[in-house]
């Protein structure tokens, strides 16, 4: 079939736009990530003298870095509409966020939609696949204190021990509040067939839009972070924890991400922007942690129920274009998530100005030494 001049122009424009966006992303990374590292190196004396202030500043810089990632999608027209409970109400409390996992864009979507949730982004910890350690953002996550988990049965027990140790060492000593994990343990397209076979073998529901979750990491987080008065076990950590008088983990936020027509946005699309503008829908349900069972078998059943509910939510969304109303509501209410373009330009400008400043400093010292 012959390609018309108009079609050729559209393709050319899309390719040019993708190339320019990629160039901007590379430049952005080359100035923002080294600047983040260098600021924290310079601030190491503050870490010794006033650890709380150091991690506050680190959290602000971390939030700005995540906002830069969010801006790539926002300026490409990949926006978010939110449904269900309003998580802003618990943004200052400790919470565990359980998210379904479809593509690499899920992380970018969360980086965007949590930007306007108070202090959440700067005080959050991520659990992610160990492969992300080797990406351009890996060094930032390592410094921030995120946990990289290695998948596979052979590593499972050891990884859970390491997760517990990591939480005890870093979670409250760095004043973390939210912890985000993807309990399915991988992308939907990769795990669906195995999950369905497991469900059939164990008389569990047949799921198409999600997979049955793995329970290990969730159980470790609950045991380690729930306050003693709620589960009778130590909350974990060092002397800093005692000083903070933490109430412990208070909420579980069940988060469901739905893409138009069930077509996930991956990180390549997020960066290059070659896909038409799209609205991603994010649904929240908040559960008090006291209502979450601690006993392994009961917790497994509880977690399975959450993902069975996610299946129903997504089925309803793909059939109607909207999530169903919450219990007690007659109509589902959606909220359009917005970001300030002025603020995004401001932090991008700060990144490039910081890069220029560090370059001048290095040039000065180089000429002084040589």
């Amino acid at each position: 079939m012959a390609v018309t001049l108009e079609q050729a122009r559209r393709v050319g424009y899309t390719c040019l736009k993708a190339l320019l966006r990629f160039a901007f992303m590379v430049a952005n990374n080359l100035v923002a990530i080294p600047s983040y590292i260098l600021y924290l190196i310079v601030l190491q004396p503050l870490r010794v003298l006033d650890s709380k202030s150091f991690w506050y500043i680190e959290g602000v810089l971390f939030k700005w870095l995540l906002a830069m990632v969010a801006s790539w999608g926002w300026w490409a027209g990949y926006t978010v509409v939110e449904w269900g409970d309003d998580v802003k109400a618990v943004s200052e409390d400790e919470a565990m966020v359980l998210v379904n996992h479809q593509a690499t864009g899920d992380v970018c979507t969360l980086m965007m939609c949590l930007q306007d949730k108070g202090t959440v982004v700067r005080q959050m910890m991520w659990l992610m696949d160990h492969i992300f350690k080797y990406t351009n953002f890996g060094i930032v996550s390592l410094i921030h204190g995120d946990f990289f988990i290695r998948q596979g049965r052979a590593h499972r027990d050891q990884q859970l021990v390491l997760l517990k140790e990591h939480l005890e060492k870093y979670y409250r000593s760095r004043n973390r509040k939210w912890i985000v994990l993807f309990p399915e343990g991988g992308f939907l397209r990769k795990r669906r067939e195995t999950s369905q076979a497991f469900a059939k073998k164990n008389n569990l529901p047949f799921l198409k839009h999600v997979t049955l979750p793995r329970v290990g990491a969730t159980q470790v987080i609950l045991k380690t972070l729930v306050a003693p008065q709620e589960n009778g076990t130590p909350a974990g950590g060092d002397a800093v924890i005692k000083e903070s008088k933490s109430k412990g983990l208070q909420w579980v936020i069940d988060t469901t991400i739905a893409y138009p027509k069930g077509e996930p946005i991956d990180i390549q699309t997020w960066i290059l922007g070659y896909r038409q503008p799209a609205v991603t829908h994010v649904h929240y349900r908040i559960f008090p942690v006291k209502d979450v069972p601690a006993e392994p078998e009961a917790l497994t059943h509880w977690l399975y129920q959450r993902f069975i509910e996610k299946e129903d939510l997504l089925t309803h969304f793909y059939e109607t274009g909207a999530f169903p109303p919450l219990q007690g509501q007659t109509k589902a209410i959606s909220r359009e998530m917005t970001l300030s373009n002025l603020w995004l330009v401001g932090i991008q400008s700060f990144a490039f100005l910081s890069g220029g400043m560090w370059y001048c400093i290095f040039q000065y010292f180089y000429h002084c030494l040589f």
Side-chain angles (χ1 to χ4, degrees):
M1 187 172 71
V3 177
T4 66
L5 182 61
E6 182 62 28
Q7 288 173 325
R9 284 176 177 169
R10 279 202 300 267
V11 171
Y13 172 74
T14 300
C15 291
L16 178 62
K17 183 177 72 171
L19 183 62
L20 291 174
R21 283 176 59 86
F22 182 74
F24 176 78
M25 184 275 293
V26 171
N28 197 184
N29 275 265
L30 287 175
V31 296
I33 293 176
S35 293
Y36 166 87
I37 295 168
L38 290 168
Y39 277 125
L40 295 183
I41 290 173
V42 170
L43 289 171
Q44 285 302 304
L46 178 64
R47 182 177 181 179
V48 175
L49 297 171
D50 187 353
S51 177
K52 185 176 180 181
S53 295
F54 174 85
W55 289 113
Y56 175 88
I57 295 170
E58 184 279 333
V60 171
L61 295 174
F62 183 78
K63 178 176 180 177
W64 290 355
L65 283 177
L66 267 59
M68 291 177 204
V69 176
S71 72
W72 305 340
W74 181 258
W75 287 334
Y78 305 142
T79 57
V80 172
V81 167
E82 298 177 307
W83 303 75
D85 294 324
D86 186 357
V87 296
K88 286 183 181 179
V90 298
S91 62
E92 297 301 316
D93 299 333
E94 289 189 27
M96 175 172 62
V97 184
L98 307 175
V99 193
N100 61 314
H101 208 8
Q102 300 172 72
T104 47
D106 298 340
V107 175
C108 300
T109 296
L110 290 173
M111 287 180 178
M112 175 187 284
C113 65
L114 296 179
Q115 283 291 326
D116 67 344
K117 308 298 187 294
T119 62
V120 164
V121 174
R122 67 177 177 83
Q123 292 182 288
M124 73 194 311
M125 178 182 286
W126 296 77
L127 264 65
M128 59 188 79
D129 192 282
H130 79 288
I131 198 67
F132 285 100
K133 186 189 297 185
Y134 308 105
T135 66
N136 60 322
F137 212 78
I139 183 64
V140 173
S141 290
L142 280 169
I143 294 170
H144 184 70
D146 296 329
F147 183 76
F148 298 95
I149 192 163
R150 186 180 291 273
Q151 304 294 342
R153 185 174 297 179
H155 308 285
R156 194 168 299 161
D157 292 341
Q158 181 195 29
Q159 291 299 298
L160 294 179
V161 172
L162 292 174
L163 173 59
K164 184 177 187 299
E165 293 172 353
H166 186 89
L167 293 173
E168 291 176 340
K169 185 174 182 180
Y170 297 117
Y171 189 80
R172 293 203 176 95
S173 65
R174 298 185 181 186
N175 195 29
R176 300 293 173 244
K177 291 289 184 71
W178 282 27
I179 183 165
V180 180
L181 70 154
F182 301 89
E184 290 165 295
F187 297 139
L188 173 64
R189 67 179 187 277
K190 293 183 176 181
R191 291 208 62 242
R192 179 159 40 199
E193 188 175 333
T194 304
S195 175
Q196 289 172 346
F198 177 83
K200 184 177 180 180
K201 183 179 178 181
N202 292 274
N203 247 354
L204 293 167
F206 183 86
L207 306 177
K208 295 190 299 181
H209 306 304
V210 295
T211 66
L212 290 169
R214 293 169 178 169
V215 184
T218 304
Q219 188 174 19
V220 168
I221 291 167
L222 290 171
K223 281 188 174 181
T224 308
L225 299 183
V226 173
Q229 67 270 21
E230 295 183 44
N231 74 343
T233 59
D238 52 25
V240 177
I241 298 170
K242 295 178 183 177
E243 293 174 8
S244 68
K245 297 180 181 178
S246 170
K247 295 178 181 179
L249 201 69
Q250 295 170 267
W251 310 99
V252 174
I253 302 174
D254 186 27
T255 304
T256 304
I257 298 176
Y259 295 98
K261 301 179 182 178
E263 299 174 357
I265 298 175
D266 54 29
I267 187 66
Q268 299 96 315
T269 306
W270 194 269
I271 292 170
L272 300 177
Y274 51 78
R275 182 167 160 180
Q276 289 297 309
V279 179
T280 301
H281 296 257
V282 181
H283 184 278
Y284 305 104
R285 283 192 68 197
I286 301 175
F287 296 88
V289 78
K290 64 182 177 61
D291 294 341
V292 181
E295 195 274 325
E297 187 174 342
L299 176 60
T300 300
H301 176 74
W302 186 89
L303 198 57
Y304 281 2
Q305 285 302 119
R306 300 291 73 77
F307 276 77
I308 292 168
E309 289 172 6
K310 284 180 184 292
E311 176 77 11
D312 295 337
L313 285 170
L314 290 167
T315 298
H316 189 280
F317 177 84
Y318 294 136
E319 289 175 353
T320 66
F323 282 111
L326 292 171
Q327 189 174 4
Q329 292 182 349
T330 56
K331 182 181 178 182
I333 301 171
S334 62
R335 304 174 297 276
E336 190 172 339
M337 186 264 161
T338 60
L339 289 175
S340 166
N341 286 313
L342 182 62
W343 179 64
L344 292 176
V345 170
I347 60 172
Q348 294 283 7
S349 301
F350 175 78
F352 282 101
L353 288 171
S354 294
M357 178 192 73
W358 291 116
Y359 176 78
C360 292
I361 290 173
F362 280 120
Q363 285 287 95
Y364 172 78
F365 279 106
Y366 177 82
H367 288 300
C368 287
L369 292 172
F370 303 102

